[in-house]
Amino acid sequence: GTTPIPEIQADNSWFVEGLAGYMEPTPVGSPNLERLADAQDARRLQRLLPLEFLHTFRLGSFPGMATQSMLSAYAQSWALCHFLMHRHPEAFLAYLDRLARERPRADEDTLAWLLESLHQELRPLEQEFLAHLDQFAPEDPPWLKRYQEFLTLREELITLARRW
């Protein structure tokens, strides 16, 4: 017979989506420019979620959120994972390992597990995270880069056509 595949459930959307975004660029762990642009936009518009709110999303990719809010949550999740992997890798990996080994009680918030792993309080951690996000040069969203490439190509074609 075949061995059944064990059921694996992500307890929390932010680190699942954030780690996926962390793994996308080459090399792994370098800035995910699309997510960075969205995170910077959310920061500028004061749409970043408090960490305790971001942490409440369970099982799924931010269900029930409006599209722009969902994009911001994906971006913030990437930015938070990038921050934790670059500034606190051992503690973050210890947190992920604990999540893989233990199921929290129904009344237990695993955000406390993260803070415990990091030996930090929530608000100072948020401030450190925001400082990490603010270190990046402003990034244009991908659609704007493509539009600029289109305009550049258009100008080159017009110049070329005038030479005929």
Side-chain angles (χ1 to χ4, degrees), residues 71-141:
L71 289 175
S72 296
Y74 277 114
Q76 185 176 352
S77 296
W78 162 78
L80 184 56
C81 285
H82 188 273
F83 158 69
L84 291 169
M85 287 297 289
H86 284 262
R87 300 283 176 93
H88 303 282
E90 297 85 8
F92 184 45
L93 292 173
Y95 166 72
L96 295 175
D97 184 57
R98 183 174 179 186
L99 287 173
R101 287 182 290 105
E102 290 181 47
R103 286 299 297 162
R105 296 183 317 271
D107 64 337
E108 194 171 21
D109 184 359
T110 57
L111 181 57
W113 293 7
L114 177 64
L115 296 173
E116 185 182 307
S117 292
L118 295 168
H119 305 291
Q120 285 215 1
E121 297 293 322
L122 184 58
R123 295 301 164 233
L125 178 66
E126 274 188 323
Q127 291 307 309
E128 189 183 345
F129 164 63
L130 294 174
H132 178 78
L133 184 56
D134 291 345
Q135 76 172 332
F136 294 101
E139 186 63 37
D140 287 328

Side-chain angles (χ1 to χ4, degrees), residues 37 46-47 58 70 82 92 123 129 142 148 160:
Q46 299 181 337
R47 290 187 181 153
R58 308 232 184 262
M70 192 180 295
H82 188 273
F92 184 45
R123 295 301 164 233
F129 164 63
Q148 188 57 54
L160 191 59

